[in-house]
Amino acid sequence: MEHPYGYIKDGKVYLKGFLNQEDRIIGEVKEDEASTIKYFEDRFELVKEKVANLKKDIEENQNKGSFLMKLIHLRDALMQYDALGNFVPLIEELNQLEVYLEEIIQSNRARNLEIKKGLILEAEAMRNNTDWKETTEAFKNLKLRWIKTGPVAKEHEEEIESEFNEAVEHFFANRKDYFDGLALQAEENIKDYEALLNQAREAFELRDVKQAFEISKRIQKEWKAAGKVPAEKRQPLWDEFSKLNNRIFSKYKRVAQAESYMPPREVIQKVDTMASAMKKLAKAPTSKENLEAAKQLQADWKKLPIKKPRDAQQSAKSFVFFADVVFEKAFLERLIRSKHDNFEGKDLAEQNRLKSHLLKDLISRDQRELDTIKGNSENFRTSEDKFDVMLQRKIASYKRKVDVKNYILRDL
């Protein structure tokens, strides 16, 4: 059975290829050919409605640029959508809408740049003002307006952020110098914390997760640099401030993890390679270069997905173990030199003898701790799962300490 945009062959429903796509199967005949064709024509009407609704949303909403990703996802979906109809006009319509939205976004960014340049001029005009109270409020208002102003083109972002922050930081540095030692400092500082909290609230509401994260990093630095205030006034502000920043970071982390997805096979290869490299460092003599290499490996390790594939578990355990060996050997080197004068002047056999003696003492201490924890775990059985997990982790940690030291001892 033929259709303007498809056909039925051997009980299968085909959509004719369009935009360089080949004909493809979109379903099969269930009852009869006529009702099957009707079903897939109805599905096409549904997707036409989705395109029309998106167009309507764009027309009716002020923040039109926020619909760009939705448009792109819908257009991609149309290329694989199972229905019978003319998809080409729909896709062309979405292409035109995309151009329209891109022009709006570019226009918005140009407008945002002009607004932020104006805010920089306001900041420059106030940077040396000594009316501390009034100007502080003006700068707080200025920073809130800066946050509420949308992003600018990437090539301008760093420069204008630097110019604005320099003017703001110059004023607040002068204000801090003036208020040092004054009784009013605490009252002024509490206002700083409240302003930072307001900025955290604003950042939390932003749709741009990366921009919110950058704001979060900056205001956390400003929080640390803010002056002292009584704990009973600071703590409630800090509780909310830290909670908001943690939530901002969680959102950013989810986005970052999604963007930095790594195929399982690549993770396994990296884990194997890094475990081998760490094992090599563990077997080499302790040196500043090897310690730096181990620290770099640990930094690279943190970039891998937290949950490793099953086939990487053994290498992951090996990496952790040999990392402990590297740093335990470095600790042993520092400790032995602190206990024995002229350690470098002794021959290798004597050095190893002293290290072995020290290691045996450390192993005995760790083993006693391990036995005590194991004994306590038997005496304090509980139905609390979290407590049991914590206890088992502690036991595993001490056991690894003993295993690491025994490994080093065997190599001496």
Side-chain angles (χ1 to χ4, degrees), residues 10-153:
D10 299 331
K12 304 292 185 183
V13 184
Y14 287 79
L15 173 68
K16 291 180 182 178
F18 60 91
L19 297 180
N20 298 321
Q21 290 196 117
E22 296 181 356
D23 295 4
R24 64 181 178 87
I25 297 172
I26 60 172
E28 58 184 30
V29 177
K30 295 295 185 181
E31 297 177 358
D32 56 71
E33 292 186 351
S35 63
T36 300
I37 290 292
K38 179 67 168 56
Y39 168 76
F40 284 104
E41 287 177 338
D42 290 343
R43 280 181 57 80
F44 182 75
E45 291 303 316
L46 289 175
V47 81
K48 280 178 63 179
E49 186 177 348
K50 286 185 179 181
V51 173
N53 288 338
L54 176 60
K55 185 177 180 181
K56 182 180 178 183
D57 287 341
I58 292 172
E59 291 172 350
E60 294 178 352
N61 280 273
Q62 187 174 358
N63 188 11
K64 300 181 187 300
S66 64
F67 290 95
L68 179 60
M69 290 311 299
K70 185 175 181 180
L71 182 151
I72 292 171
H73 292 322
L74 178 56
R75 184 180 58 197
D76 292 343
L78 290 183
M79 300 299 291
Q80 300 298 323
Y81 193 76
D82 295 339
L84 287 174
N86 190 359
F87 284 90
V88 174
L90 297 181
I91 292 171
E92 289 176 348
E93 185 173 12
L94 290 179
N95 288 340
Q96 292 172 5
L97 279 173
E98 181 184 17
V99 172
Y100 170 66
L101 293 181
E102 289 285 2
E103 290 174 351
I104 289 175
I105 290 171
Q106 292 302 321
S107 174
N108 287 343
R109 288 181 176 174
R111 188 189 71 231
N112 293 339
L113 179 61
E114 292 306 311
I115 292 172
K116 288 192 171 182
K117 283 181 177 179
L119 295 177
I120 290 171
L121 291 176
E122 289 185 46
E124 289 288 347
M126 297 190 298
R127 60 183 287 159
N128 293 314
N129 199 318
T130 55
D131 187 344
W132 306 113
K133 186 174 182 179
E134 182 178 333
T135 311
T136 296
E137 292 302 319
F139 263 109
K140 290 175 183 177
N141 177 264
L142 201 62
K143 289 196 286 185
L144 287 174
R145 288 159 61 197
W146 183 274
I147 291 171
K148 289 178 180 178
T149 303
V152 301

Side-chain angles (χ1 to χ4, degrees), residues 106-347:
Q106 292 302 321
S107 174
N108 287 343
R109 288 181 176 174
R111 188 189 71 231
N112 293 339
L113 179 61
E114 292 306 311
I115 292 172
K116 288 192 171 182
K117 283 181 177 179
L119 295 177
I120 290 171
L121 291 176
E122 289 185 46
E124 289 288 347
M126 297 190 298
R127 60 183 287 159
N128 293 314
N129 199 318
T130 55
D131 187 344
W132 306 113
K133 186 174 182 179
E134 182 178 333
T135 311
T136 296
E137 292 302 319
F139 263 109
K140 290 175 183 177
N141 177 264
L142 201 62
K143 289 196 286 185
L144 287 174
R145 288 159 61 197
W146 183 274
I147 291 171
K148 289 178 180 178
T149 303
V152 301
K154 290 293 183 184
E155 62 266 24
H156 301 298
E157 188 173 355
E158 184 176 349
E159 180 183 357
I160 65 166
E161 287 285 345
S162 176
E163 288 182 17
F164 181 76
N165 288 334
E166 195 280 328
V168 174
E169 289 163 8
H170 177 86
F171 168 77
F172 282 101
N174 287 347
R175 193 199 70 160
K176 184 179 182 301
D177 291 341
Y178 178 81
F179 279 106
D180 276 348
L182 299 180
L184 293 176
Q185 185 67 57
E187 290 300 319
E188 291 297 321
N189 288 340
I190 200 69
K191 293 177 183 177
D192 289 343
Y193 288 118
E194 289 169 347
L196 292 170
L197 178 56
N198 285 332
Q199 291 181 55
R201 291 169 180 154
E202 294 278 350
F204 181 71
E205 296 297 331
L206 287 174
R207 295 172 65 88
D208 188 330
V209 175
K210 291 183 180 179
Q211 184 187 6
F213 179 63
E214 291 303 319
I215 292 169
S216 174
K217 287 197 299 183
R218 176 177 58 77
I219 62 179
Q220 286 185 77
K221 288 180 182 177
E222 291 183 18
W223 184 281
K224 291 178 181 178
K228 295 180 180 180
V229 296
E232 65 273 12
K233 291 185 178 180
R234 181 180 180 274
Q235 193 61 43
L237 298 174
W238 168 250
D239 290 342
E240 184 180 356
F241 182 80
S242 60
K243 185 182 295 184
L244 287 168
N245 282 293
N246 288 338
R247 289 176 177 174
I248 290 170
F249 177 73
S250 296
K251 286 183 182 178
Y252 174 77
K253 188 176 180 182
R254 287 195 297 271
V255 171
Q257 286 175 342
E259 291 178 349
S260 61
Y261 168 76
M262 192 178 295
R265 182 174 295 179
E266 185 178 346
V267 175
I268 293 169
Q269 290 174 346
K270 286 183 178 291
V271 169
D272 290 344
T273 300
M274 294 170 73
S276 297
M278 190 63 83
K279 183 176 181 180
K280 185 177 180 181
L281 291 174
K283 290 185 173 295
T286 298
S287 68
K288 183 178 179 181
E289 292 76 15
N290 285 347
L291 280 175
E292 290 302 318
K295 290 176 182 177
Q296 184 58 53
L297 277 173
Q298 286 187 321
D300 294 339
W301 183 266
K302 291 178 181 179
K303 298 175 183 177
L304 296 177
I306 295 174
K307 189 173 182 179
K308 309 293 188 297
R310 182 177 298 176
D311 291 345
Q313 294 299 317
Q314 191 58 43
S315 292
K317 291 178 182 178
S318 176
F319 179 88
V320 173
F321 177 82
F322 286 112
D324 287 348
V325 170
V326 171
F327 293 106
E328 187 66 35
K329 285 173 69 175
F331 169 73
L332 179 64
E333 290 287 341
R334 294 194 301 270
L335 186 59
I336 199 73
R337 281 168 173 72
S338 70
K339 290 180 175 291
H340 298 279
D341 295 335
N342 194 29
F343 180 79
E344 292 289 349
K346 302 181 188 298
D347 60 47

